[in-house]
Amino acid sequence: MPSLTIPFTLLRASRYANPGSEADILPEVYGDFALGGLSGPIPAVLIDDVNWVYCAAAHAVEAITTVYVDDVAQSSGFTSSVSNNYESQGVIATIDFTSQPTGVVTWRGRGKQSGGVLVTNPITQLEDLLLTRGGFVAADFEVSDLETARTVALLKDYQLAWVVNDERQVAEWLTEWLFNVAGAWRVTGSDRLVLLADDGNIPTPDQITVNIVASRDCGGDEEVTISGNVDHLVNALTVHYLWSWSFGQASSRIITEEDTISKNGHLGTEIRKGVTLKGHRRARDVAAWADVIFLRQAFRHRRNGAIAEFPIIGPKFLHGVPGDWITLTWPWGPRTIGESSFTQHICKVLAVRHELPGPGAKTTVEALLTGESLLTSQGF
C-alpha cells in the first residue's frame, strides 16, 4: 500500500507551456457545486497567460454553470469546455477568455463523472481520488469494508462535494473526508486500507475488532475508569458548511442542530460544539450527520457518551486505531435497572497509546461508550 504520510500526486500548471505560476495545483473537483453558497466556490488556475486559458479542473467535469471574475458572474467574453485535451497534456476542464480577466477567476458547476454519472457518494469519491492521485490499486483496500462504507453513504443519502488542491498528507485528507460521514479509517495488519462510515446503528459482531474482558486483558478490574469527559460530549451543534475553496471559508452555518433527549435529561444543559463540514452543501446532509453524532455522543443516559480508559496487557490490541469498534466486559460498569452485569458493551475507540517494547509492554485505550451491548438490540 502506498504511503499515507505524503501528499497526493496532483497535477500542476508547469505541465503547460505558458502557465501563470508553474507551482499552482490543478484542482480535483468532486460533487455538485452548481447551487448554494456565495459566488464561485472553485478556484480556476491560469495555465496559459498568452491566450488567457484557465484550468477549471484537472479532469473532465459534468458542467461549468457559472464563471466569476472577482465574484461577479460573467455572461460573455469567455468559452468553457468540460473536456479539453489542452496542449495534448491530458483531458481537463477549461475556461478560455478572449482577453485578460481583471480579477480572480472562479466558477461553479458539477465535477467528475463516472460512466456518465456525477460522482456524489463520498466513499466512491475518496476511492477514486486514492486510485488516480494516491497511487492505490484495488488490492490496497479492504474490499468488504469499502463496500459497507459505500452502502452506508448511499443509504444515508450523503451527496458531498470536494475540491482537492493542496499538499496535505493523504492521511489528513482521509481523516477530514471520513469525518464528514461520521467515519474513520485504519490500516490492517495485512497493510490494507479500511474506510468506515457510521450509520448510527448498533455494530454487528463482525464489525467488532476485539472483545476486552477487564479481569483478563487489563491486568485487573481496578484498572478501568469511566468518566464523562466533556471534550467528547455534545448535544447541540453549530455547523459551518457550504465551503468555498476559492476563499477558504464557509458560506453558511446551521445553529439549530440539537439533541432534545439529552438536553431535557440534563435539565436543559447545553453542551454545544462548533464544527466545519467542508464536504457538505445540503442542509439535509448536515442533519443526517448530526443525528449520528448525537446517537454516539449526546450523553442521553449514564453510559451513552461516557469515556472508558483502560490498559491492555500484551499485543492483543497492537493494531487497534481510533474508529475501531470494541466491546468491554467489566463487573463494576454502570448498569441500569434489571441489568445483572456490564457485559460486551460496545465502545468506539478514540485514542490508542502504545508503551513498547519490553516485558511490561501495554496499550492504553480511550474509548467512547455507546450505551449499546452485543447482548441486546436496544440501548440502555
Side-chain angles (χ1 to χ4, degrees):
M1 189 183 76
S3 172
L4 302 179
T5 60
I6 60 175
F8 286 111
T9 306
L10 303 175
L11 304 183
R12 294 183 182 269
S14 58
R15 65 197 294 112
Y16 300 103
N18 301 295
S21 173
E22 292 186 351
D24 284 349
I25 296 173
L26 310 185
E28 304 282 327
V29 182
Y30 292 94
D32 191 348
F33 288 91
L35 300 174
L38 303 174
S39 62
I42 310 169
V45 173
L46 180 61
I47 57 173
D48 187 340
D49 63 4
V50 174
N51 298 296
W52 305 112
V53 179
Y54 287 73
C55 173
H59 46 77
V61 300
E62 183 173 288
I64 297 174
T65 56
T66 312
V67 174
Y68 300 82
V69 175
D70 276 354
D71 295 344
V72 178
Q74 305 295 297
S75 58
S76 61
F78 71 93
T79 57
S80 61
S81 172
V82 298
S83 179
N84 184 353
N85 187 8
Y86 196 71
E87 293 184 357
S88 300
Q89 293 298 313
V91 173
I92 60 174
T94 57
I95 304 167
D96 187 347
F97 287 87
T98 56
S99 60
Q100 181 178 5
T102 58
V104 176
V105 177
T106 59
W107 66 284
R108 64 170 58 245
R110 292 181 289 276
K112 198 169 192 178
Q113 294 181 310
S114 177
V117 178
L118 182 67
V119 182
T120 58
N121 185 306
I123 303 301
T124 303
Q125 293 171 338
L126 182 55
E127 177 192 23
D128 179 82
L129 180 63
L130 290 165
L131 290 170
T132 57
R133 303 298 183 211
F136 276 63
V137 296
D140 292 322
F141 297 94
E142 196 65 51
V143 176
S144 61
D145 292 300
L146 175 66
E147 294 308 322
T148 297
R150 198 192 321 273
T151 299
V152 169
L154 178 65
L155 294 177
K156 299 293 287 186
D157 193 30
Y158 285 129
Q159 296 185 27
L160 305 192
W162 297 91
V163 176
V164 181
N165 65 343
D166 65 34
E167 293 186 296
R168 280 184 288 167
Q169 294 180 0
V170 172
E172 292 182 59
W173 272 107
L174 287 172
T175 299
E176 179 170 19
W177 208 293
L178 292 166
F179 176 72
N180 279 250
V181 293
W185 62 274
R186 62 185 176 88
V187 177
T188 68
S190 55
D191 203 32
R192 291 192 180 94
L193 180 65
V194 175
L195 303 182
L196 304 168
D198 193 347
D199 58 7
N201 294 328
I202 301 173
T204 55
D206 62 295
Q207 294 176 294
I208 302 300
T209 301
V210 66
N211 297 291
I212 300 299
V213 177
S215 60
R216 180 191 67 197
D217 302 314
C218 302
D221 293 328
E222 67 279 2
E223 297 295 327
V224 180
T225 60
I226 289 184
S227 62
N229 186 337
V230 72
D231 289 343
H232 299 292
L233 304 182
V234 58
N235 60 21
L237 287 164
T238 298
V239 182
H240 300 266
Y241 74 122
L242 285 171
W243 189 259
S244 171
W245 269 267
S246 299
F247 304 106
Q249 63 185 29
S251 301
S252 186
R253 68 176 182 169
I254 297 175
I255 62 174
T256 57
E257 295 294 344
E258 61 181 38
D259 187 88
T260 55
I261 296 175
S262 172
K263 289 184 69 174
N264 292 339
H266 295 282
L267 303 178
T269 300
E270 179 178 279
I271 306 173
R272 179 175 291 277
K273 301 290 177 66
V275 297
T276 298
L277 299 175
K278 291 184 179 180
H280 288 240
R281 303 196 68 79
R282 305 187 305 173
R284 62 186 292 180
D285 291 326
V286 174
W289 178 88
D291 285 345
V292 175
I293 297 301
F294 290 143
L295 281 169
R296 302 302 187 204
Q297 296 178 228
F299 212 12
R300 290 178 173 176
H301 42 73
R302 65 167 71 182
R303 286 198 298 265
N304 165 244
I307 306 299
E309 184 170 325
F310 47 88
I312 298 177
I313 308 302
K316 188 169 186 177
F317 206 64
L318 189 61
H319 294 292
V321 296
D324 280 348
W325 293 110
I326 65 175
T327 66
L328 175 64
T329 297
W330 183 44
W332 301 340
R335 310 172 193 173
T336 56
I337 295 174
E339 273 192 284
S340 60
S341 64
F342 185 89
T343 303
Q344 288 192 324
H345 280 262
I346 300 169
C347 308
K348 189 173 189 177
V349 175
L350 298 174
V352 180
R353 299 188 298 275
H354 296 298
E355 296 178 27
L356 302 170
K362 69 176 183 178
T363 299
T364 301
V365 176
E366 187 177 336
L368 185 75
L369 274 64
T370 64
E372 314 286 358
S373 169
L374 281 185
L375 303 183
T376 179
S377 60
Q378 298 180 354
F380 296 94

